[in-house]
Amino acid sequence: MSERLLKIEHLYQYFPAGGFGKHKKYVQAVDDVSFFINKGETLGLVGESGCGKTTTGRTLLRLYEPTKGRIVYDGKVLFDSGDVPVMDDDGKDILENGQPKFGAKTSVDMRPYRREMQIVFQDPYASLDPRMTVGDIVGEAIDIHKLASSKEERYNKIQSLLQCVGLNSEHANRYPHEFSGGQRQRVGIARALAVDPKFIVCDEPISALDVSIQAQVVNMFEDLQAEMGLTYLFIAHDLSVVKHISNRIGVMYLGKLVELADSYELIFHPVHPYTKSLISAIPIADPKTARANKRIALEGDVPSPLNPPSGCRFRTRCPYATEQCAAEVPKWREVSAGHYAACHHLEKA
Ligand code: SF4
């Protein structure tokens, strides 16, 4: 079996949104999400804007403190609220005498892990300090983690990082505004790589780029992974991009993970109605196949995560919704080896 690098179990992220006492309101951004990522793997996470993908990525890095759940990185428990069941490697809750087994309350100091667990942000311009040169932006991470013992070593490291992401040595003296969007994203990637990470959350890293540049940046992510053995959580709203880079793909809707499978399996044999609608929206180059492909258009808007629908959160837009869907939260179940989905009526969808 492949070695797990990261495992999140029953992760919740609720943000307070006003009100007092029992009228206190919460934005339920991430609700009971569990998955693992193997070493050297890319897990894609897709869904419409506001579905909780980015919050999941930031919460597992503990840039946001989780409301509840467990985060295990490289065998070490980084966070455990102590009140959610422990899961085995197949995603099933571990039982003791028929009762769920619970972990111990834990919240470790993240500083030793900050170096290994990095993030590349969506908006390369907003995430780079406009007053710093690119050399200083990349060098800052080297300084913070004391990764160079001399000025010369620091300089050489910056140069090799810029080269690694397809920039040249002269770029080190320039400021972010002097670069194109694609180049700025390369600077953001060089900054993340400066600390020799093992795991990178790629948070919509190509959404702000021109389509012509997106393929270049995706290819670069793949090359870097092959060279450095990196592990990615690749977040994007565009399934057509995610399918190229991911080994497995998870689909989120309104804070819930609704389906997760091997990339090929998910694209060609989706089982959840929401995944099916996302896949039907992928543009097809061949006009004949495109005509034969039936687009599944969803009606209505995504409901507010402040007050999500009862039962299945997708039910207000699902063509197969029944009374059971309003009454019960669908269970996360394995429909075939390694293929999971949460829906009461998979046979209809
Ligand atoms: Fe649709 Fe019901 Fe399945 Fe939800 S549980 S996706 S509402 S059929």
Side-chain angles (χ1 to χ4, degrees), residues 9-48:
E9 298 170 49
H10 303 289
L11 193 70
Y12 290 75
Q13 183 57 265
Y14 284 12
F15 296 110
F20 294 100
K22 57 181 181 177
H23 299 294
K24 209 164 177 179
K25 289 184 185 151
Y26 293 92
V27 174
Q28 301 178 22
V30 177
D31 192 282
D32 200 5
V33 168
S34 304
F35 59 73
F36 63 82
I37 311 180
N38 290 323
K39 281 188 180 167
E41 183 189 40
T42 299
L43 177 73
L45 205 53
V46 293
E48 288 162 291

Side-chain angles (χ1 to χ4, degrees), residues 272-274 312-316 318-322 324-326 328 330 342-346 348-349:
H272 195 282
Y274 179 59
C312 174
R313 291 190 174 189
F314 185 55
R315 73 177 167 82
T316 52
C318 179
Y320 310 103
T322 62
Q324 186 190 9
C325 304
E328 291 170 32
C343 172
H344 292 303
H345 304 295
L346 289 176
K348 287 192 203 170

